Amino acid sequence: MKKRVLIITYYWPPSGGAGVQRWLKFSKYLPDFDWEPVIYTPENPEVPVDDPSLLEDVRPGLEVIKQPILEPYSFYKKFIGQKKGERVNAAFLSENKAPGFKEKLSVWIRGNFFIPDSRRFWIRPSIRFLKKYLEEHPVDAIVSTGPPHSMHLIALALKKKLDIPWLADFRDPWTNIDFYPDLNLTPLADAKHRNLERKVITSCDKMVVVSRQMKTEFEELGGKNIQVITNGFDDADVGEETPESDKKFSIVHAGSLPPNRNPRILWKVLQELVTATPELADSLQIKLVGKVDISVLEDIRSHQLEPYLKLVEYVPHDEVMKILQQAQVLLLAINQTPNAKGILTGKIFEYMAACRPVLTIGPTDGDVANILNDVQAGLISDFTDEEGLKKNILEFFNRFREGNLSVNSEGIHQYSRKNLTSILAEHLNKITS
């Protein structure tokens, strides 16, 4: 008989973007390992994008419980002059203009008054609702996934009231996240964040994080019983037929490009290369798929690279893999932040599944570098290594001209969503045995 696990997640289809993928895929494969998931998620979330195609990944018969959530975004939009129907971007990304005084003030208010985040008003109603639900429909374990970390506070309260084994999953850090300093917290607000974080990581029965560096950071904060389960790729997302490759020497980035992920060194190096190498200038295409901060576009223009630029609006996830497989080179830009070594985006695994070479800019001793080297999926250079980056681009370009630009991505099966779910199921078994 299958065990039941309640999964508390803010992001769920038809919401799109990176945040929804992890637990959508876990819930898809958990029944194969004798766990029946029950999803608890907001009825009316404020999300950057919608992607109805992800509904196809929801396992038939899956129980999904939705409750309304009250969020302050309608007031936020009115305050900064944003239209009611416009979406709020994550990671301080602004597509049309640089943040002004009102936007900066709103960030300060968000960090200091909406603790741990703007979904805090969903905590108490959810505790009341779920306590009653769980008393009538028992589960064997609870999972909370954040950010937003309000999800963890819901699970924390249920753990105290009902003593159900609890696994806390961190897709990103809490106080160690890259934009934490940008919140401009008062000492009191900072202390509140850290106190809540400490309660969560010391009260759960198991912590799961997505990278080794995150594991180390949480251990230093007092976290125990921490397991690394990375993000991954779903074999079902990779089509049986490989689409024809781009004719141009395309360097493709999929996903959002906020300011701290802007690879300024790349624009500088590419400007030098197209000036010095006419063959590259004739073949180059820079393809950015998804939301792009205005600072990135301004840097591209300032380096005279706009003629090579192709912008692609957000596309459904089921079309992303085709674009990745068509690319000549896939660009992975790591956030230039103090926690850069531990940043391990889900994007890298889908890049590897596309079997196209990955051009990475980031720490050469970080988690991404270790995985790239492990599966021989691409080349990496540090944030300031212009010569190394230039060498890597030229190596890829020469192989493109010779018609042998490909990678084997050996050993990537360990990062398949189904294999990762088997590991998750083992740890759920351990905390419930």
Side-chain angles (χ1 to χ4, degrees):
M1 185 175 176
K2 288 184 173 70
K3 294 181 179 180
R4 280 164 50 89
V5 55
L6 174 71
I7 299 169
I8 303 171
T9 175
Y10 182 82
Y11 297 105
W12 191 255
S15 300
V20 72
Q21 293 284 332
R22 183 169 172 84
W23 284 94
L24 173 63
K25 300 296 187 179
F26 279 145
S27 68
K28 177 181 177 180
Y29 291 114
L30 270 171
D32 295 342
F33 303 99
D34 296 323
W35 279 92
E36 196 65 48
V38 178
I39 306 299
Y40 179 71
T41 193
E43 187 178 82
N44 53 322
E46 176 71 42
V47 295
V49 292
D50 287 330
D51 188 348
S53 74
L54 293 177
L55 289 167
E56 297 176 10
D57 263 329
V58 178
R59 190 162 181 137
L62 176 68
E63 183 178 358
V64 180
I65 305 167
K66 296 186 177 183
Q67 286 290 295
I69 183 172
L70 174 65
E71 299 186 78
Y73 282 109
S74 58
F75 302 103
Y76 168 77
K77 291 177 184 178
K78 186 178 293 186
F79 179 68
I80 66 171
Q82 195 173 34
K83 294 179 181 178
K84 186 177 180 180
E86 289 185 72
R87 300 300 180 96
V88 178
N89 291 318
F92 302 102
L93 186 151
S94 178
E95 297 175 274
N96 301 314
K97 61 178 182 178
F101 170 75
K102 287 185 177 181
E103 285 85 353
K104 292 176 181 177
L105 177 59
S106 298
V107 169
W108 183 85
I109 292 172
R110 172 253 187 265
N112 287 279
F113 292 96
F114 296 96
I115 299 174
D117 47 63
S118 58
R119 282 83 188 196
R120 59 171 299 202
F121 300 110
W122 203 48
I123 297 172
R124 288 186 179 180
S126 294
I127 295 168
R128 288 194 299 268
F129 174 84
L130 288 174
K131 182 177 182 294
K132 182 179 180 182
Y133 172 87
L134 293 172
E135 288 171 345
E136 298 173 355
H137 307 85
V139 298
D140 299 280
I142 294 174
V143 167
S144 57
T145 179
H149 302 300
S150 288
M151 306 302 106
H152 296 311
L153 299 187
I154 296 170
L156 173 65
L158 294 174
K159 170 70 177 177
K160 290 180 178 178
K161 291 177 182 293
L162 303 174
D163 196 28
I164 300 173
W166 167 32
L167 182 151
D169 173 67
F170 284 82
R171 304 186 316 278
D172 286 308
W174 190 327
T175 57
N176 278 332
I177 199 165
D178 48 24
F179 60 74
Y180 190 75
D182 298 323
L183 297 176
N184 296 315
L185 301 175
T186 64
L188 178 60
D190 178 56
K192 287 182 178 179
H193 277 281
R194 295 184 186 279
N195 182 51
L196 290 174
E197 178 182 41
R198 191 177 304 109
K199 283 183 179 179
V200 168
I201 67 176
T202 58
S203 300
C204 61
D205 298 283
K206 166 76 70 173
M207 278 184 67
V208 170
V209 296
V210 299
S211 71
R212 295 176 186 175
Q213 183 64 27
M214 276 181 65
K215 181 177 187 290
T216 299
E217 292 172 358
F218 274 117
E219 286 175 338
E220 291 173 351
L221 293 172
K224 297 179 181 178
N225 202 12
I226 305 176
Q227 173 68 32
V228 177
I229 303 181
T230 66
N231 286 306
F233 68 92
D234 193 348
D235 291 294
D237 292 338
V238 183
E240 295 182 2
E241 295 184 6
T242 303
E244 186 177 355
S245 299
D246 292 335
K247 300 299 183 184
K248 294 274 190 178
F249 178 63
S250 55
I251 299 177
V252 178
H253 180 276
S256 62
L257 267 178
N260 62 15
R261 202 177 296 155
N262 180 9
R264 290 184 173 87
I265 186 175
L266 175 63
W267 316 134
K268 182 176 187 296
V269 167
L270 282 177
Q271 182 185 31
E272 294 173 359
L273 285 175
V274 296
T275 302
T277 315
E279 297 92 342
L280 178 60
D282 291 338
S283 300
L284 179 65
Q285 182 181 71
I286 303 166
K287 190 185 296 184
L288 305 182
V289 183
K291 292 180 178 292
V292 180
D293 191 81
I294 189 169
S295 62
V296 178
L297 298 178
E298 288 174 346
D299 282 345
I300 290 173
R301 293 186 187 109
S302 70
H303 287 92
Q304 287 82 54
L305 294 173
E306 198 168 15
Y308 308 99
L309 177 64
K310 181 178 181 180
L311 293 174
V312 180
E313 292 292 327
Y314 182 88
V315 296
H317 185 259
D318 58 357
E319 297 179 22
V320 170
M321 283 305 301
K322 183 183 293 186
I323 293 175
L324 299 185
Q325 290 176 291
Q326 290 173 324
Q328 294 295 344
V329 175
L330 295 169
L331 170 64
L332 183 65
I334 305 300
N335 302 43
Q336 298 186 50
T337 52
N339 68 332
K341 289 184 180 181
I343 294 176
L344 191 57
T345 64
K347 183 185 304 151
I348 178 63
F349 303 102
E350 295 193 331
Y351 276 14
M352 292 191 298
C355 292
R356 304 306 304 153
V358 182
L359 177 70
T360 305
I361 302 170
T364 55
D365 57 348
D367 285 302
V368 164
N370 291 334
I371 288 177
L372 280 175
N373 294 331
D374 184 38
V375 301
Q376 300 179 353
L379 302 173
I380 185 169
S381 55
D382 204 83
F383 292 121
T384 58
D385 185 7
E386 292 184 21
E387 289 305 312
L389 178 58
K390 188 177 296 185
K391 178 182 176 182
N392 291 346
I393 293 171
L394 288 175
E395 178 174 335
F396 283 149
F397 179 63
N398 290 331
R399 285 164 54 187
F400 162 76
R401 293 173 65 194
E402 295 166 1
N404 66 349
L405 185 57
S406 63
V407 292
N408 294 323
S409 294
E410 296 180 1
I412 66 170
H413 173 71
Q414 61 187 306
Y415 301 111
S416 74
R417 293 288 189 182
K418 190 165 186 176
N419 183 62
L420 295 168
T421 305
S422 72
I423 298 171
L424 171 68
E426 289 177 10
H427 289 284
L428 287 173
N429 289 332
K430 288 179 181 178
I431 67 173
T432 56
S433 60

